[in-house]
Amino acid sequence: MPELPDLEVFSHNLEKRLKGKTIARLTSHTTKLNVTEKELQDTLHGQKIAAVYREGKELYFKWSNGDILALHLMLHGKLFYFKDKNDQKFPVIELMFTDGSGLVLTDFQKAATPTLNPEPKTAPDALSDEADADYYKTILAKKKTTIKTILLDQKIVRGIGNAYADEILWHARISPFSVANKIPEHKLKDLVKAIHKVLTEAQQQIIKHNPDIIAGEVRDFMLIHHPKKQSSPGGAPIQIDNGTRKTYYTSEQELFE
């Protein structure tokens, strides 16, 4: 599943390619759309793309009249840019522009979701100033679940997925199995630093190796959540917990319980 750094790079590349293009037609192939296809067509027809940006784990396409088309790629959603005709299988939604180019979101599981003018989210973005140590202190004081569960909860903090949660917690030296309300305050400062460091450096790595990417995942640079690596940079063996989601961790991370 594309996570925050991937989507940040996708949004940058999509805006560079699509900004200013005028929509000619949209075709929906999903039942997950929150409005009828006609309403979608009537709302966006003739509008220009004003901006493309990331909101949590979604891509937001902002149009010239202020409307928003949000795309959640889910686990297997991919975006493809094309000329004249879409040849990709499993389309979820297709956008055709007046210059003959187009963009299609595909997903063989049909789980990817387009939403017209989504409701504002209340949880802060992982990279926002609002998601600081004080925010986590307030939230975690009420939680007896594991810290990794907290980081993955999009109703608490938006944008972090499984792979980056493991990387963040290793950098912060906090065990993913730590009980949230047992983590001391000074470690929450380490957690916030690790979130910003891991997510921003990942964006730089993705751009460096795949400057034009708008689909897929780049994970080769990861230090811990990496199936081909046996040990951390410090030499500690990487362990894998095969729970609901695979969790990669080492003995270098302190367990609070």
Side-chain angles (χ1 to χ4, degrees):
M1 174 184 288
E3 297 187 30
L4 187 154
D6 306 295
L7 296 170
E8 196 69 43
V9 176
F10 295 175
S11 67
H12 172 78
N13 288 335
L14 287 165
E15 179 171 281
K16 185 169 58 176
R17 184 172 287 184
L18 301 178
K19 187 175 181 179
K21 287 183 181 286
T22 301
I23 194 76
R25 70 177 185 274
L26 297 95
T27 307
S28 173
H29 304 271
T30 179
T31 59
K32 294 179 178 291
L33 187 63
N34 65 325
V35 296
T36 65
E37 185 171 351
K38 183 179 186 305
E39 185 176 344
L40 182 68
Q41 291 272 13
D42 291 346
T43 301
L44 298 184
H45 180 75
Q47 290 200 54
K48 292 183 178 181
I49 290 185
V52 184
Y53 57 96
R54 179 193 60 81
E55 276 285 341
K57 286 188 175 183
E58 294 180 285
L59 291 171
Y60 275 31
F61 293 74
K62 185 175 182 180
W63 302 83
S64 48
N65 285 356
D67 292 294
I68 300 290
L69 178 64
L71 300 181
H72 197 308
L73 307 188
M74 301 302 286
L75 192 60
H76 297 292
K78 292 184 178 181
L79 290 163
F80 296 94
Y81 182 74
F82 61 90
K83 284 286 188 180
D84 301 321
K85 182 182 178 182
N86 168 44
D87 294 322
Q88 298 295 328
K89 295 181 179 180
F90 313 113
V92 174
I93 190 168
E94 299 174 60
L95 285 68
M96 283 298 303
F97 303 104
T98 54
D99 65 356
S101 65
L103 184 75
V104 60
L105 169 62
T106 70
D107 184 357
F108 70 90
Q109 288 189 332
K110 296 292 184 180
T113 307
T115 304
L116 180 64
N117 294 323
E119 294 292 328
K121 307 296 192 298
T122 57
D125 189 84
L127 290 179
S128 69
D129 292 339
E130 185 183 348
D132 59 10
D134 288 336
Y135 174 75
Y136 286 102
K137 179 182 177 182
T138 301
I139 294 294
L140 268 55
K142 308 170 187 176
K143 303 292 184 181
K144 295 182 180 180
T145 52
T146 65
I147 184 60
K148 182 172 179 179
T149 300
I150 296 294
L151 292 182
L152 296 179
D153 190 337
Q154 301 303 299
K155 293 181 180 179
I156 293 176
V157 59
R158 292 182 294 123
I160 301 173
N162 190 54
Y164 283 102
D166 287 347
E167 293 289 302
I168 287 165
L169 290 168
W170 180 79
H171 277 271
R173 296 299 192 267
I174 299 171
S175 168
F177 311 110
S178 294
V179 177
N181 64 4
K182 300 297 184 182
I183 300 173
E185 187 174 346
H186 73 275
K187 292 301 292 183
L188 297 181
K189 294 179 181 179
D190 293 340
L191 177 63
V192 173
K193 288 179 182 178
I195 289 171
H196 285 260
K197 174 182 174 64
V198 168
L199 297 180
T200 55
E201 289 185 357
Q203 293 174 44
Q204 295 166 7
Q205 288 292 329
I206 293 168
I207 291 171
K208 177 180 178 181
H209 296 291
N210 297 269
D212 298 318
I213 191 171
I214 61 169
E217 301 172 358
V218 181
R219 298 285 188 265
D220 292 345
F221 56 85
M222 285 191 159
L223 302 179
I224 302 300
H225 194 103
H226 197 307
K228 294 183 179 180
K229 291 187 177 179
Q230 302 298 314
S231 60
S232 73
I238 295 174
Q239 303 176 61
I240 302 175
D241 179 82
N242 291 296
T244 305
R245 297 179 177 89
K246 276 191 176 182
T247 295
Y248 292 67
Y249 65 101
T250 78
S251 59
E252 298 158 307
Q253 296 166 253
E254 190 171 357
L255 177 64
F256 301 97
E257 56 184 358

